[in-house]
Amino acid sequence: MSDIAAIKDKYEGEIAGASDLKALNDIRVAALGKKGEVSMMMRGLGQMTPDEKKVMGPALNGLKNDIADLIETRKSVLELEAMNAALAAETMDMSLPVDVSMGTLHPVQQVMEEMAVIFSDMGFSVAEGPDIEDDFHNFTALNFPPGHPARDMHDTFFMEQVGEEEKKVLRTHTSPVQIRTMINQKPPIRIIAPGRTYRCDSDQTHTPMFHQVEGLVIDKETHMGHLKGVLMDFVSAFFETDVDVQFRPHHFPFTEPSAEMDVRYERVGSEIRIGQGEKWMEILGCGMVHPNVLRACGLDPEEYQGFAFGMGVDRLAMLKYGMPDLRDMFAADTRWLGHYGFSPLLQANLATGLS
Ligand code: PHE
């Protein structure tokens, strides 16, 4: 028994002396590892008489627990010391002057922030989801059953298959974020989901990567009037002028009824003026969330309903700020960014103006 007390004393001393986590771990292995001193002694129990075992069993267990406790306690101290040392070493000099002429906010970033400001004023919060999605969130739960022809509308990029797992896709819209939100959050829900989306398409008005903002409202008494009111308020706030809109019936698998919203515009020379004129331009898709989508997310369509909408951020940025070619947006040309970019210090807000 005095052996055990001596072993405990020995390790207690070593543990107190361990100067870093690595040294501490070496001590743990030497004492409690598979071939450690205490483990080997415990293995010796098998050869003892029942009377010896009755005494040595609990004693060795106690020794093992005491050493483990000492190691844990020392470990917390060393971890704290390591963190404090890292914090002290990684200080940042915040007093350096910033040269704001060096960088600008990309118009896509600016427009997403303008949208977030407008919708947060209406009580929406911002939700996000992964760019690489599974078939369930991008299609099936959105009421595109497997094999449904509507899946072909979305020129999908498929990821390479990994093992037995089903092939992932680059999300073709931000609508999977509405699925993730409805599954994880109890209504009432009021979110917008800004982010990157991908479709295999490239010309003057399409790029393989583009940006969307999706909106979703779910509650017990939400109806199409709310949908129209929110979107009408949104476009006037966004274009910073009164904008006349019209809703045209449309089809999306995930909404019923579905509509597209057009804004009135006219072309003067090469300039597009939103809000006035005789022509209509489609700017977003919307509708009442389909009961099958609610069911796929575990919501009872008899109890909950709501609306969703989705729009292309890059196109709205082009319309608002007069950029002629979508592809320039992602060419990373600093001359273009210098011309169309926004000051990073002027935050979009409703009080002093969005842009
Ligand atoms: N997800 C649709 C698209 O990318 C847009 C949309 C969203 C339409 C929500 C209606 C409701 O085409």
Side-chain angles (χ1 to χ4, degrees):
M1 288 303 277
S2 64
D3 253 14
I4 289 191
I7 292 171
K8 185 180 161 196
D9 279 351
K10 177 180 82 170
Y11 282 112
E12 193 162 10
E14 284 184 20
I15 290 167
S19 58
D20 58 30
L21 289 165
K22 157 119 191 20
L24 187 64
N25 193 46
D26 290 346
I27 298 169
R28 186 188 61 76
V29 174
L32 308 178
K34 254 201 199 139
K35 298 212 170 110
E37 185 174 7
V38 179
S39 312
M40 296 307 276
M41 289 173 79
M42 290 181 94
R43 242 184 257 175
L45 284 172
Q47 273 92 56
M48 292 183 192
T49 65
D51 279 344
E52 285 173 325
K53 238 191 254 181
K54 232 185 244 164
V55 182
M56 283 305 279
L60 282 172
N61 248 330
L63 174 65
K64 184 178 114 189
N65 291 339
D66 287 348
I67 294 178
D69 285 348
L70 288 167
I71 290 178
E72 266 318 299
T73 312
R74 181 75 188 137
K75 194 169 158 212
S76 329
V77 172
L78 288 174
E79 277 171 349
L80 189 67
E81 278 174 8
M83 188 169 76
N84 284 338
L87 285 175
E90 293 168 17
T91 54
M92 213 189 278
D93 182 357
M94 304 288 273
S95 66
L96 282 176
V98 178
D99 180 358
V100 287
S101 66
M102 292 286 285
T104 54
L105 273 192
H106 194 284
V108 169
Q109 186 66 36
Q110 167 76 16
V111 162
M112 287 216 209
E113 277 175 24
E114 292 178 15
M115 290 180 179
V117 165
I118 297 169
F119 283 112
S120 62
D121 192 51
M122 296 190 216
F124 286 72
S125 52
V126 173
E128 286 181 313
D131 289 19
I132 298 175
E133 264 298 359
D134 52 30
D135 183 89
F136 174 78
H137 292 91
N138 197 76
F139 290 122
T140 308
L142 286 158
N143 199 30
F144 293 78
H148 191 281
R151 289 178 179 224
D152 298 338
M153 292 182 341
H154 284 201
D155 308 310
T156 312
F157 283 114
F158 289 91
M159 306 293 288
E160 227 164 77
Q161 184 150 13
V162 184
E164 295 292 285
E165 244 182 59
E166 129 199 301
K167 259 193 219 168
K168 295 264 171 57
V169 301
L170 288 179
R171 66 178 175 193
T172 57
H173 47 181
T174 37
S175 303
V177 183
Q178 62 163 284
I179 300 300
R180 291 183 177 275
T181 307
M182 281 190 276
I183 289 175
N184 292 319
Q185 202 175 307
K186 242 181 89 70
I189 292 171
R190 226 183 266 182
I191 54 133
I192 56 164
R196 293 194 184 97
T197 47
Y198 307 82
R199 293 184 200 179
C200 187
D201 207 353
S202 181
D203 59 32
Q204 196 180 355
T205 51
H206 297 91
T207 48
M209 186 282 302
F210 58 106
H211 299 83
Q212 284 192 340
V213 164
E214 171 102 1
L216 174 72
V217 173
I218 301 289
D219 208 337
K220 292 192 170 160
E221 284 162 10
T222 309
H223 55 68
M224 197 109 184
H226 296 126
L227 159 71
K228 290 178 77 172
V230 162
L231 293 176
M232 286 158 76
D233 280 358
F234 163 72
V235 275
S236 290
F238 179 72
F239 287 108
E240 301 177 62
T241 178
D242 281 340
V243 178
D244 209 8
V245 304
Q246 71 176 14
F247 288 82
R248 262 182 306 99
H250 194 71
H251 173 263
F252 297 104
F254 33 87
T255 46
E256 178 60 35
S258 305
E260 281 188 329
M261 189 175 90
D262 301 339
V263 290
R264 204 184 265 290
Y265 82 103
E266 68 182 348
R267 203 180 275 274
V268 183
S270 63
E271 191 193 338
I272 288 176
R273 290 199 187 143
I274 302 286
Q276 43 197 318
E278 295 305 317
K279 291 189 173 154
W280 294 101
M281 183 188 306
E282 178 264 314
I283 62 159
L284 58 83
C286 56
M288 301 304 294
V289 178
H290 196 293
N292 286 350
V293 175
L294 295 168
R295 273 186 218 109
C297 300
L299 294 175
D300 178 1
E302 298 296 323
E303 189 178 4
Y304 291 109
Q305 54 188 353
F307 63 84
F309 54 88
M311 56 193 134
V313 178
D314 321 274
R315 250 192 86 219
L316 284 171
M318 286 169 77
L319 283 175
K320 181 165 178 182
Y321 294 113
M323 291 159 250
D325 191 323
L326 185 62
R327 290 168 296 193
D328 292 339
M329 290 233 183
F330 311 117
D333 180 338
T334 50
R335 290 164 305 172
W336 187 92
L337 287 167
H339 180 73
Y340 287 110
F342 291 80
S343 163
L345 297 185
L346 297 177
Q347 293 258 319
N349 72 82
L350 290 174
T352 60
L354 286 175
S355 52

